[in-house]
């Protein structure tokens, strides 16, 4: 399964996805190499590489069984949680394109993103269900709605909707679906501050593979690091930290959302050593009142 890549041979740092490799194969390599090593920590959960592969495969096969297909667009609207990544990685596994929807969108803004992207499937948390129902009649191409139930209080779903829990009934055999050059992998939408949001498209194949030393400099991260991810996963920086961790076969601590008060306690809880940030996050953290545990952490770098 492993193939030679110049600069990456016999290297324990891991590697990006190969241009001739399906995402399913790529994920199987990661699971085989790392088995019970934690890919992510979330609240009280730990998800190993083996568990990641199995859950992504189950979701991917369930999507295929529902009629989702290669090349279609799958929208994901969730807070930061493991199911977000199971959904986007499953989309990549079946050769679909995924887009991450800003959870603050409502009304016309939400309808615009779903319609403009030609999304046929949306996977969203229960708490955003009312927002979707309000615009449901305006959605042109939407065929499938999958709802992640609330842990506190589940609500009855319309007959045409599917609970995310049902996706785990799919086969755990990894689908092997290859992409062709130029196919869309992901669509990221701008904030729309100067007009309607614009979809920036990432196509296959991936950018040229870097040499090992170049990759370590580019990522500013090592496989022994535990990354802290608190930026929203619909943001390119937050999502990029997840994919970098997967490439390098590292570990990450995933936070439901950024919290100035919760930042350092979670960093200590997960043993995080690196984090990515955007905007004013460092200033927000610096404005917090001093505390006795301020120096009790393993964080070594932010980028």
């Amino acid at each position: 399964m492993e193939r030679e890549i110049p600069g990456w041979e016999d290297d324990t740092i891991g590697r990006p996805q190969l241009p001739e490799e399906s995402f399913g194969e790529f994920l199987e390599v990661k699971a085989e190499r790392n088995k019970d090593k934690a890919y992510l920590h979330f609240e009280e959960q730990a998800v190993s590489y083996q568990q990641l592969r199995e859950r992504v495969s189950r979701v991917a096969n369930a999507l295929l069984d529902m009629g989702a297909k290669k090349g279609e667009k799958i929208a994901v609207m969730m807070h930061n949680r493991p199911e977000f990544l199971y959904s986007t990685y499953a989309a990549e596994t079946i050769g679909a394109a995924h887009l991450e929807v800003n959870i603050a969108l409502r009304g016309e803004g939400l309808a615009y993103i779903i319609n403009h992207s030609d999304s046929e499937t949306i996977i969203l948390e229960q708490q955003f269900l009312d927002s979707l129902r309000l615009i449901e009649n305006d959605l042109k191409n939407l065929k499938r709605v999958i709802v992640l139930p609330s842990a506190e209080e589940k609500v009855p779903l319309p007959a045409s909707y599917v609970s995310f829990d049902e996706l785990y009934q799919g086969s755990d055999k990894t689908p092997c679906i290859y992409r062709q050059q130029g196919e869309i992998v992901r669509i990221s939408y701008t904030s729309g501050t100067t007009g309607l949001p614009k979809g920036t498209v990432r196509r296959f194949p991936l950018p040229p593979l870097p040499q090992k030393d170049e990759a370590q400099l580019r990522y500013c991260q090592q496989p022994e690091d535990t990354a802290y991810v608190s930026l929203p996963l619909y943001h390119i920086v937050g999502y990029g930290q997840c994919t970098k961790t997967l490439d390098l076969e590292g570990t990450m601590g995933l936070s439901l959302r950024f919290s100035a008060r919760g930042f350092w306690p979670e960093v200590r809880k997960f043993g995080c050593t690196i984090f990515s940030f955007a905007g004013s996050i460092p200033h927000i953290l610096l404005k917090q009142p001093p505390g006795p545990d301020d120096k009790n952490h393993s964080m070594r770098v932010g980028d």
Side-chain angles (χ1 to χ4, degrees), residues 65-297:
D65 292 341
M66 293 168 61
K69 59 188 182 299
K70 178 182 178 182
E72 80 167 55
K73 314 302 190 304
I74 298 177
V76 179
M77 189 176 185
M78 294 186 192
H79 287 93
N80 292 3
R81 54 179 66 253
E83 293 86 356
F84 190 117
L85 296 172
Y86 302 160
S87 301
T88 56
Y89 291 171
E92 293 208 31
T93 300
I94 68 173
H98 57 92
L99 57 139
E100 296 73 53
V101 181
N102 188 327
I103 60 175
L105 287 175
R106 301 289 187 274
E108 292 182 5
L110 179 57
Y112 173 80
I113 294 293
I114 297 173
N115 284 330
H116 184 265
S117 63
D118 296 325
S119 291
E120 296 181 48
T121 301
I122 185 167
I123 307 174
L124 75 168
E125 282 184 68
Q126 179 181 299
Q127 71 180 87
F128 304 122
L129 193 53
D130 288 344
S131 298
L132 183 72
R133 298 295 300 277
L134 288 173
I135 61 169
E136 194 170 20
N137 292 335
D138 300 323
L139 303 178
K140 302 172 183 177
N141 302 305
L142 196 64
K143 299 176 181 177
R144 289 169 288 274
V145 177
I146 300 168
V147 181
L148 179 67
S150 169
E152 288 75 31
E153 182 182 2
K154 297 182 181 180
V155 300
L157 298 178
S160 59
Y161 290 10
V162 176
S163 170
F164 193 94
D165 291 342
E166 295 182 29
L167 302 188
Y168 291 133
Q169 302 305 310
S171 167
D172 65 354
K173 183 178 180 181
T174 303
C176 184
I177 298 175
Y178 296 96
R179 292 188 186 271
Q180 302 300 313
Q181 183 174 358
E183 291 181 350
I184 299 175
V185 175
R186 184 184 179 207
I187 307 173
S188 301
Y189 276 87
T190 62
S191 60
T193 52
T194 58
L196 291 172
K198 301 173 182 63
T200 57
V201 175
R202 175 189 173 202
R203 297 184 182 272
F204 194 82
L206 306 176
L209 292 167
Q211 296 288 309
K212 176 180 64 176
D213 294 340
E214 178 191 347
Q216 293 186 39
L217 289 172
R218 180 188 300 181
Y219 287 162
C220 202
Q221 184 175 343
Q222 305 297 323
E224 61 270 18
D225 277 317
T226 297
Y228 184 62
V229 182
S230 61
L231 288 174
L233 296 188
Y234 61 77
H235 191 284
I236 191 170
V237 176
Y239 192 80
Q241 187 77 69
C242 300
T243 57
K244 284 191 291 186
T245 299
L246 184 60
D247 285 351
L248 295 175
E249 301 170 27
T251 300
M252 67 182 187
L254 180 64
S255 179
L256 186 68
R257 62 178 67 85
F258 172 74
S259 164
R261 290 185 177 182
F263 186 94
W264 291 114
E266 280 202 324
V267 163
R268 285 189 283 270
K269 176 181 177 180
F270 299 137
C272 296
T273 56
I274 186 170
F275 76 106
S276 292
F277 60 86
S280 59
I281 284 180
H283 300 287
I284 294 172
L285 293 174
L286 287 170
K287 287 182 179 179
Q288 294 302 298
D293 291 330
D294 283 351
K295 294 184 178 181
N296 177 26
H297 64 81

Side-chain angles (χ1 to χ4, degrees), residues 2-67:
E2 288 283 12
R3 304 169 197 179
E4 291 187 359
I5 313 171
W8 292 81
E9 298 94 332
D10 301 321
D11 185 28
T12 59
I13 194 174
R15 60 164 176 79
Q17 184 182 354
L18 296 169
E20 70 273 22
E21 181 180 44
S22 73
F23 189 82
E25 289 176 322
F26 169 70
L27 205 53
E28 282 196 323
V29 168
K30 300 302 183 184
E32 180 60 30
R33 283 166 58 96
N34 295 279
K35 295 183 171 52
D36 294 329
K37 178 179 178 178
Y39 168 62
L40 69 83
H41 296 280
F42 175 74
E43 296 180 340
E44 304 307 317
Q45 302 178 47
V47 179
S48 71
Y49 276 82
Q50 291 267 40
Q51 291 170 323
L52 176 70
R53 185 215 63 79
E54 178 187 344
R55 293 170 190 176
V56 169
S57 294
R58 290 188 184 279
V59 173
N61 282 306
L63 288 171
L64 291 171
D65 292 341
M66 293 168 61

